[in-house]
Structure formats: C-alpha cells, structure tokens
Amino acid sequence: MIIPYQELSKEALTNLIEQFILREGTDYGETEVGNQTKIEQVLTQLKSGEALIVYSELHEEVNIMSAQQFKQMQAEEGDYQIDRDEF
C-alpha cells in the first residue's frame, strides 16, 4: 500500500527519511553530502512521485523506494497493494 507523504507529520516523515538514508549507505562520489541535503533530495523525490512510501503487509514494514522499483516488485511478487491510481 502506498502511503502519501503528506499524510505523515513532518517529524515522522523526517525520521523515516533519515532511517532510509542511513540504511541505504549510498555513495555520493568524491564529495561528501550532508544528511540534511540527503533528506531534502529524498523529500524532493517523494514530492515529484519519483519515490514512494510503501507499507508491506506481508513484511509489516514501511520503506521508501523508487516508483520504478515499486512497479517491478508489484509485477514480480504481488505482495504490495496499491490503494490509489496515481504515484
């Protein structure tokens, strides 16, 4: 199920994004990118629909993933439910 980012409080959304960026451990190249910049980048992706907040009933967890990853997982596994038409 997709959870619209607007439905989360600012604090809950920030905490979710922080947990996501710490888990991902993404390499940003030669220049170190601060956590605040990473948070802003993920928030921009959520606002544009490029990234989604997804709740998996099967795994009982919330995660952030790209819309492309979501579509692929839905096609392959079918363990995520869409509760609205738009991404």
Side-chain angles (χ1 to χ4, degrees), residues 20-71:
F20 171 73
I21 62 174
L22 292 173
R23 257 193 334 259
E24 291 301 306
T26 305
D27 181 13
Y28 287 84
E30 292 181 29
T31 306
E32 182 63 30
V33 176
N35 281 348
Q36 188 59 40
T37 301
K38 293 176 188 177
I39 290 169
E40 291 169 8
Q41 290 171 343
V42 173
L43 185 56
T44 297
Q45 293 173 354
L46 289 168
K47 288 179 178 180
S48 71
E50 187 179 336
L52 304 169
I53 299 172
V54 180
Y55 174 71
S56 169
E57 293 178 15
L58 179 64
H59 299 106
E60 296 183 351
E61 66 184 14
V62 176
N63 198 10
I64 297 174
M65 64 178 59
S66 72
Q68 182 179 8
Q69 285 175 314
F70 178 79
K71 289 177 187 178

Side-chain angles (χ1 to χ4, degrees), residues 2-6 52-53 81-87:
I2 297 172
I3 301 171
Y5 74 91
Q6 304 93 327
L52 304 169
I53 299 172
Q81 300 282 329
I82 297 180
D83 66 348
R84 61 189 180 110
D85 293 331
E86 60 185 87
F87 287 35

